[in-house]
Amino acid sequence: MTTALVNIAYLIASALFIIGLKYLSHPRTAVRGNLLGAAGMLIAIVVTLLNRRIVSFEIIIAGFILGAAIGTILARKIQMTGMPQLVALFNGFGGGASVLVAGSALIEAAGKAHDMPCQLTIAGVASGLIGAVTFWGSLIAFGKLQGVVPEKPLRYSGEQIFKSILLLASLAMGAWIVIEPSTVHFYWILVAVASALGIFLVIPIGGADMPVVITLLNSYSGLAACATGFVLGNNVLVIAGSLVGASGIILTKIMCKAMNRSLTNVLFGGLGEIPESAADADDVYGGKVKATSAEEVAMLLETARRVVIVPGYGMAAAQAQHAVRDLFNLLESKKIEVEFAIHPVAGRMPGHMNVLLAEADIPYDNLREMDEVNPTFEQTDIAIVLGANDVVNPSARTNPKSPIAGMPILNVDKARTVVVIKRSLSPGFAGIPNPLFAADNTLMLFGDGKKMIQDLITALKEG
Amino acid sequence: MELLVTTLTIFVLAIFVGFEVISKVPPILHTPLMSGSNAISGITLIGAIISAGSQYTTLTTILGFSAVVLATINVVGGFLVTHRMLEMFKGKKERT
């Protein structure tokens, strides 16, 4: 096939990616969007296989079979609660592939030509740096979400200096390779330093900030592919990579805004750093917390007309989404209006709660975004908070000194009665007590999320 | 140099297109959008195929093979899992 025809096929693939992403951002067309993206990928792969430089197909096919088998198994077996770590893992693999491709292209170019164009070395260095940070950063994020690496933020003195040294060292090494292309084998040392940077960038970040980390790494994996496109002089890589880079940045911005924090603050410090004094919690809770039982809550629900359920990461951790669906159906059958209020950063990745509730067959017409649901809490009889904490903490609104001051929250405290299902009074990720738990209209239902919802259902059926 | 400028032009324009296309995603679709765009970023597979297939040296072939495996996991797994998620969203719509 001539180069022109190949490039036209790549152009078609790029157009399919753009249309696919466009469709992915609307619920009605999302399935089609994903299929269009896959079709674009297929076209790009087939055309590439016709490339005249390919002398043997065995190795490529072996790679396809192995990769497709692993990918299919992972995609089919993963539970919906495990979605954040799977996305992190796939992300990392994309970044890792970029590192290897750029490295291989640099070796080949160094062997063939005596003077390497600086476009090649700059792009190669960028690809190695971003790709390695993406790969290792994503693996650490995966480990944290899977519980293999401690989820807590691991901070130490001199942390920022150490990370800055790693960054400067990798940049200096990159500059050296660009100025002195004969040292191109140093690429692998650059990759090693960037790998350390990726690890130490993510290790200090706590579990609840993972939505931001994952979206940012998603963006990086796109940029790494884009840089590889510059190395190979391949436009479809550049276009697809920049699209993903841009979409990742948009999502990162949405996440940061939902926490009222800057990206720098999420990445380099801020919340969860210093635990608040214990005396603080006693001041807030002392003698004011009212515990309740499933039977009492069931009685309240019997007379309610409107109930809003606020899910958080605790629902995912307790795998309570199916029990919640049963409760939802039971309440609906009693002609009680039930809605779900979803905070943008609830869970461990953007949209995490939506996916879990969709898995449990809860119609998405009953899922409400924060801005939509907040004005309705005053007309809500009962708000059930299930495994959420910081996103319903009224201090964000009332206490300007609070570490989460100004963060947009769900105003559940405005509901007539608030039922909080939680194991204990332990603080959420922000490490601060929640005055909601001690409010006059709040009842605490202490226990495991799934068990408590099931107890509620039993009590409702008996009552 | 001319090639670099052309590629840069495409890069900058594609970034703008990306921002334009994805500026208003409803939160319900954040997860599928992430995993779907993630699969698209597996486009590095194309470079991996050339590395693995051109067999310039043993080293580049090994690198290419590993890259093909990683990128294929990213592409195949990414599109499949996105499809699985989106089917869940669609399923309920029909029943209600």
Short mmCIF file of all heavy atoms in Angstrom, two decimals, chain A residues 237-282:
data_model
loop_
_atom_site.label_atom_id
_atom_site.label_comp_id
_atom_site.label_asym_id
_atom_site.label_seq_id
_atom_site.Cartn_x
_atom_site.Cartn_y
_atom_site.Cartn_z
N LEU A 237 -1.01 8.60 16.05
CA LEU A 237 -0.59 8.55 17.45
C LEU A 237 -0.68 9.93 18.08
O LEU A 237 -1.12 10.09 19.22
CB LEU A 237 0.85 8.03 17.57
CG LEU A 237 1.00 6.59 18.04
CD1 LEU A 237 0.69 5.64 16.92
CD2 LEU A 237 2.37 6.34 18.60
N VAL A 238 -0.23 10.94 17.31
CA VAL A 238 -0.26 12.30 17.85
C VAL A 238 -1.70 12.72 18.12
O VAL A 238 -2.01 13.25 19.20
CB VAL A 238 0.41 13.28 16.86
CG1 VAL A 238 0.25 14.71 17.33
CG2 VAL A 238 1.88 12.93 16.70
N ILE A 239 -2.60 12.45 17.17
CA ILE A 239 -3.99 12.89 17.33
C ILE A 239 -4.68 12.14 18.48
O ILE A 239 -5.22 12.75 19.40
CB ILE A 239 -4.78 12.71 16.02
CG1 ILE A 239 -4.20 13.62 14.93
CG2 ILE A 239 -6.26 13.00 16.22
CD1 ILE A 239 -4.76 13.39 13.55
N ALA A 240 -4.60 10.80 18.45
CA ALA A 240 -5.27 10.02 19.49
C ALA A 240 -4.69 10.38 20.86
O ALA A 240 -5.43 10.58 21.83
CB ALA A 240 -5.12 8.53 19.22
N GLY A 241 -3.37 10.50 20.92
CA GLY A 241 -2.73 10.83 22.19
C GLY A 241 -3.18 12.18 22.72
O GLY A 241 -3.49 12.32 23.91
N SER A 242 -3.25 13.19 21.85
CA SER A 242 -3.66 14.51 22.36
C SER A 242 -5.12 14.52 22.79
O SER A 242 -5.48 15.22 23.74
CB SER A 242 -3.43 15.63 21.35
OG SER A 242 -2.79 15.21 20.23
N LEU A 243 -5.96 13.77 22.08
CA LEU A 243 -7.37 13.71 22.49
C LEU A 243 -7.48 13.17 23.91
O LEU A 243 -8.18 13.72 24.76
CB LEU A 243 -8.16 12.79 21.55
CG LEU A 243 -8.38 13.25 20.13
CD1 LEU A 243 -9.03 12.14 19.31
CD2 LEU A 243 -9.27 14.48 20.12
N VAL A 244 -6.77 12.08 24.18
CA VAL A 244 -6.83 11.47 25.50
C VAL A 244 -6.20 12.40 26.54
O VAL A 244 -6.72 12.57 27.65
CB VAL A 244 -6.13 10.10 25.50
CG1 VAL A 244 -6.15 9.48 26.87
CG2 VAL A 244 -6.81 9.17 24.51
N GLY A 245 -5.09 13.02 26.15
CA GLY A 245 -4.45 13.98 27.06
C GLY A 245 -5.42 15.09 27.45
O GLY A 245 -5.56 15.42 28.64
N ALA A 246 -6.14 15.62 26.46
CA ALA A 246 -7.08 16.71 26.74
C ALA A 246 -8.24 16.23 27.61
O ALA A 246 -8.63 16.90 28.56
CB ALA A 246 -7.60 17.30 25.43
N SER A 247 -8.77 15.04 27.30
CA SER A 247 -9.92 14.56 28.08
C SER A 247 -9.51 14.30 29.52
O SER A 247 -10.25 14.61 30.46
CB SER A 247 -10.54 13.33 27.42
OG SER A 247 -10.05 12.15 27.99
N GLY A 248 -8.30 13.77 29.71
CA GLY A 248 -7.83 13.54 31.07
C GLY A 248 -7.69 14.83 31.85
O GLY A 248 -8.04 14.91 33.03
N ILE A 249 -7.21 15.87 31.17
CA ILE A 249 -7.03 17.16 31.86
C ILE A 249 -8.39 17.74 32.26
O ILE A 249 -8.56 18.26 33.37
CB ILE A 249 -6.23 18.14 30.97
CG1 ILE A 249 -4.78 17.68 30.90
CG2 ILE A 249 -6.31 19.55 31.53
CD1 ILE A 249 -3.95 18.39 29.88
N ILE A 250 -9.38 17.60 31.37
CA ILE A 250 -10.72 18.12 31.70
C ILE A 250 -11.27 17.42 32.94
O ILE A 250 -11.75 18.05 33.88
CB ILE A 250 -11.68 17.94 30.51
CG1 ILE A 250 -11.28 18.86 29.39
CG2 ILE A 250 -13.12 18.18 30.93
CD1 ILE A 250 -12.12 18.73 28.15
N LEU A 251 -11.16 16.08 32.97
CA LEU A 251 -11.67 15.33 34.12
C LEU A 251 -10.91 15.71 35.38
O LEU A 251 -11.49 15.83 36.46
CB LEU A 251 -11.58 13.83 33.87
CG LEU A 251 -12.62 13.26 32.90
CD1 LEU A 251 -12.35 11.80 32.61
CD2 LEU A 251 -14.02 13.42 33.48
N THR A 252 -9.59 15.89 35.27
CA THR A 252 -8.80 16.28 36.43
C THR A 252 -9.31 17.60 36.99
O THR A 252 -9.46 17.78 38.21
CB THR A 252 -7.32 16.43 36.04
OG1 THR A 252 -6.90 15.27 35.33
CG2 THR A 252 -6.45 16.59 37.26
N LYS A 253 -9.60 18.53 36.09
CA LYS A 253 -10.09 19.84 36.54
C LYS A 253 -11.44 19.71 37.24
O LYS A 253 -11.67 20.34 38.27
CB LYS A 253 -10.23 20.79 35.33
CG LYS A 253 -8.97 21.62 35.10
CD LYS A 253 -9.08 22.44 33.83
CE LYS A 253 -10.05 23.60 33.96
NZ LYS A 253 -10.16 24.32 32.66
N ILE A 254 -12.33 18.87 36.68
CA ILE A 254 -13.64 18.68 37.31
C ILE A 254 -13.47 18.12 38.72
O ILE A 254 -14.10 18.58 39.67
CB ILE A 254 -14.51 17.72 36.46
CG1 ILE A 254 -14.79 18.33 35.09
CG2 ILE A 254 -15.82 17.39 37.17
CD1 ILE A 254 -15.56 17.42 34.14
N MET A 255 -12.57 17.14 38.87
CA MET A 255 -12.35 16.51 40.18
C MET A 255 -11.80 17.52 41.19
O MET A 255 -12.23 17.59 42.33
CB MET A 255 -11.35 15.35 40.05
CG MET A 255 -11.87 14.16 39.31
SD MET A 255 -13.33 13.49 40.10
CE MET A 255 -14.56 13.87 38.87
N CYS A 256 -10.81 18.31 40.75
CA CYS A 256 -10.21 19.28 41.67
C CYS A 256 -11.25 20.30 42.11
O CYS A 256 -11.31 20.69 43.27
CB CYS A 256 -9.03 19.98 41.00
SG CYS A 256 -7.61 18.94 40.85
N LYS A 257 -12.08 20.73 41.16
CA LYS A 257 -13.10 21.72 41.48
C LYS A 257 -14.08 21.16 42.50
O LYS A 257 -14.50 21.85 43.43
CB LYS A 257 -13.83 22.13 40.19
CG LYS A 257 -14.41 23.52 40.25
CD LYS A 257 -15.06 23.89 38.92
CE LYS A 257 -16.37 24.58 39.18
NZ LYS A 257 -17.41 24.22 38.21
N ALA A 258 -14.41 19.89 42.36
CA ALA A 258 -15.36 19.26 43.27
C ALA A 258 -14.80 19.15 44.68
O ALA A 258 -15.53 18.91 45.63
CB ALA A 258 -15.75 17.88 42.75
N MET A 259 -13.48 19.30 44.82
CA MET A 259 -12.90 19.24 46.16
C MET A 259 -12.44 20.62 46.61
O MET A 259 -11.87 20.76 47.69
CB MET A 259 -11.72 18.26 46.17
CG MET A 259 -12.14 16.85 45.86
SD MET A 259 -10.92 15.65 46.37
CE MET A 259 -9.67 15.91 45.17
N ASN A 260 -12.67 21.61 45.77
CA ASN A 260 -12.23 22.97 46.03
C ASN A 260 -10.73 23.01 46.34
O ASN A 260 -10.28 23.69 47.24
CB ASN A 260 -13.01 23.57 47.19
CG ASN A 260 -12.76 25.06 47.33
OD1 ASN A 260 -12.59 25.75 46.33
ND2 ASN A 260 -12.70 25.55 48.55
N ARG A 261 -9.96 22.22 45.61
CA ARG A 261 -8.52 22.23 45.83
C ARG A 261 -7.81 22.36 44.51
O ARG A 261 -8.34 22.01 43.46
CB ARG A 261 -8.09 20.92 46.50
CG ARG A 261 -8.54 20.86 47.94
CD ARG A 261 -8.50 19.47 48.46
NE ARG A 261 -7.13 18.97 48.51
CZ ARG A 261 -6.84 17.68 48.65
NH1 ARG A 261 -7.79 16.80 48.72
NH2 ARG A 261 -5.59 17.30 48.72
N SER A 262 -6.58 22.88 44.57
CA SER A 262 -5.81 23.00 43.34
C SER A 262 -5.11 21.68 43.07
O SER A 262 -4.93 20.86 43.96
CB SER A 262 -4.79 24.11 43.46
OG SER A 262 -3.81 23.72 44.38
N LEU A 263 -4.72 21.49 41.82
CA LEU A 263 -4.02 20.27 41.46
C LEU A 263 -2.71 20.16 42.25
O LEU A 263 -2.36 19.07 42.73
CB LEU A 263 -3.74 20.29 39.95
CG LEU A 263 -3.11 19.04 39.38
CD1 LEU A 263 -3.96 17.82 39.68
CD2 LEU A 263 -2.90 19.19 37.89
N THR A 264 -2.02 21.27 42.39
CA THR A 264 -0.76 21.26 43.16
C THR A 264 -1.01 20.77 44.58
O THR A 264 -0.23 20.00 45.13
CB THR A 264 -0.18 22.69 43.25
OG1 THR A 264 -0.81 23.49 42.29
CG2 THR A 264 1.30 22.68 43.07
N ASN A 265 -2.11 21.24 45.15
CA ASN A 265 -2.42 20.85 46.52
C ASN A 265 -2.68 19.35 46.63
O ASN A 265 -2.23 18.70 47.57
CB ASN A 265 -3.65 21.65 47.00
CG ASN A 265 -4.05 21.28 48.41
OD1 ASN A 265 -4.75 20.30 48.60
ND2 ASN A 265 -3.57 22.03 49.37
N VAL A 266 -3.37 18.79 45.66
CA VAL A 266 -3.65 17.35 45.70
C VAL A 266 -2.34 16.57 45.55
O VAL A 266 -2.08 15.61 46.26
CB VAL A 266 -4.62 16.95 44.56
CG1 VAL A 266 -4.79 15.43 44.54
CG2 VAL A 266 -5.96 17.61 44.77
N LEU A 267 -1.49 17.02 44.61
CA LEU A 267 -0.28 16.26 44.31
C LEU A 267 0.81 16.44 45.36
O LEU A 267 1.58 15.55 45.64
CB LEU A 267 0.28 16.65 42.94
CG LEU A 267 -0.58 16.25 41.75
CD1 LEU A 267 0.11 16.65 40.47
CD2 LEU A 267 -0.84 14.76 41.76
N PHE A 268 0.90 17.62 45.92
CA PHE A 268 2.07 17.90 46.75
C PHE A 268 1.73 18.17 48.20
O PHE A 268 2.49 18.81 48.92
CB PHE A 268 2.86 19.08 46.18
CG PHE A 268 3.39 18.80 44.82
CD1 PHE A 268 2.84 19.41 43.71
CD2 PHE A 268 4.41 17.87 44.63
CE1 PHE A 268 3.30 19.13 42.44
CE2 PHE A 268 4.87 17.59 43.37
CZ PHE A 268 4.32 18.22 42.26
N GLY A 269 0.58 17.72 48.66
CA GLY A 269 0.35 17.92 50.08
C GLY A 269 -1.07 18.30 50.34
O GLY A 269 -1.93 18.11 49.50
N GLY A 270 -1.33 18.84 51.51
CA GLY A 270 -2.69 19.22 51.82
C GLY A 270 -3.32 18.25 52.78
O GLY A 270 -2.78 17.99 53.84
N LEU A 271 -4.48 17.73 52.39
CA LEU A 271 -5.29 16.96 53.32
C LEU A 271 -4.62 15.70 53.83
O LEU A 271 -3.78 15.12 53.18
CB LEU A 271 -6.59 16.55 52.64
CG LEU A 271 -7.60 17.64 52.40
CD1 LEU A 271 -8.90 17.03 51.94
CD2 LEU A 271 -7.83 18.43 53.67
N GLY A 272 -5.05 15.27 55.00
CA GLY A 272 -4.62 14.00 55.54
C GLY A 272 -3.19 14.02 56.02
O GLY A 272 -2.63 12.99 56.35
N GLU A 273 -2.60 15.18 56.04
CA GLU A 273 -1.20 15.28 56.39
C GLU A 273 -1.01 15.14 57.90
O GLU A 273 -0.31 14.26 58.38
CB GLU A 273 -0.67 16.64 55.94
CG GLU A 273 0.62 16.54 55.22
CD GLU A 273 1.03 17.88 54.66
OE1 GLU A 273 0.16 18.75 54.47
OE2 GLU A 273 2.22 18.08 54.46
N ILE A 274 -1.68 16.03 58.63
CA ILE A 274 -1.54 16.01 60.09
C ILE A 274 -2.90 15.66 60.68
O ILE A 274 -3.89 16.34 60.41
CB ILE A 274 -1.12 17.40 60.62
CG1 ILE A 274 0.08 17.89 59.82
CG2 ILE A 274 -0.84 17.36 62.11
CD1 ILE A 274 0.04 19.36 59.53
N PRO A 275 -2.98 14.59 61.46
CA PRO A 275 -4.26 14.28 62.07
C PRO A 275 -4.67 15.37 63.06
O PRO A 275 -3.83 15.87 63.82
CB PRO A 275 -4.00 12.94 62.78
CG PRO A 275 -2.55 12.69 62.71
CD PRO A 275 -1.90 13.69 61.83
N GLU A 276 -5.94 15.73 63.04
CA GLU A 276 -6.43 16.75 63.98
C GLU A 276 -6.37 16.20 65.40
O GLU A 276 -6.41 14.99 65.60
CB GLU A 276 -7.86 17.12 63.62
CG GLU A 276 -8.01 17.73 62.25
CD GLU A 276 -7.49 19.16 62.19
OE1 GLU A 276 -7.89 19.96 63.05
OE2 GLU A 276 -6.69 19.46 61.30
N SER A 277 -6.33 17.07 66.37
CA SER A 277 -6.23 16.60 67.76
C SER A 277 -7.51 15.86 68.15
O SER A 277 -8.60 16.17 67.71
CB SER A 277 -6.01 17.78 68.69
OG SER A 277 -7.10 18.68 68.55
N ALA A 278 -7.35 14.85 69.02
CA ALA A 278 -8.48 14.03 69.41
C ALA A 278 -9.50 14.82 70.22
O ALA A 278 -10.69 14.57 70.15
CB ALA A 278 -8.00 12.83 70.20
N ALA A 279 -9.02 15.80 70.97
CA ALA A 279 -9.90 16.61 71.80
C ALA A 279 -10.97 17.28 70.94
O ALA A 279 -12.11 17.43 71.34
CB ALA A 279 -9.08 17.66 72.55
N ASP A 280 -10.57 17.62 69.75
CA ASP A 280 -11.46 18.24 68.79
C ASP A 280 -12.70 17.39 68.56
O ASP A 280 -13.82 17.88 68.60
CB ASP A 280 -10.69 18.36 67.47
CG ASP A 280 -10.97 19.69 66.80
OD1 ASP A 280 -11.46 20.59 67.50
OD2 ASP A 280 -10.70 19.81 65.60
N ALA A 281 -12.48 16.10 68.36
CA ALA A 281 -13.58 15.19 68.10
C ALA A 281 -14.51 15.10 69.30
O ALA A 281 -15.73 15.08 69.16
CB ALA A 281 -13.04 13.81 67.75
N ASP A 282 -13.93 15.10 70.52
CA ASP A 282 -14.77 15.04 71.72
C ASP A 282 -15.66 16.27 71.83
O ASP A 282 -16.82 16.17 72.21
CB ASP A 282 -13.89 14.91 72.97
CG ASP A 282 -13.28 13.52 73.07
OD1 ASP A 282 -13.81 12.63 72.38
OD2 ASP A 282 -12.30 13.34 73.80
#
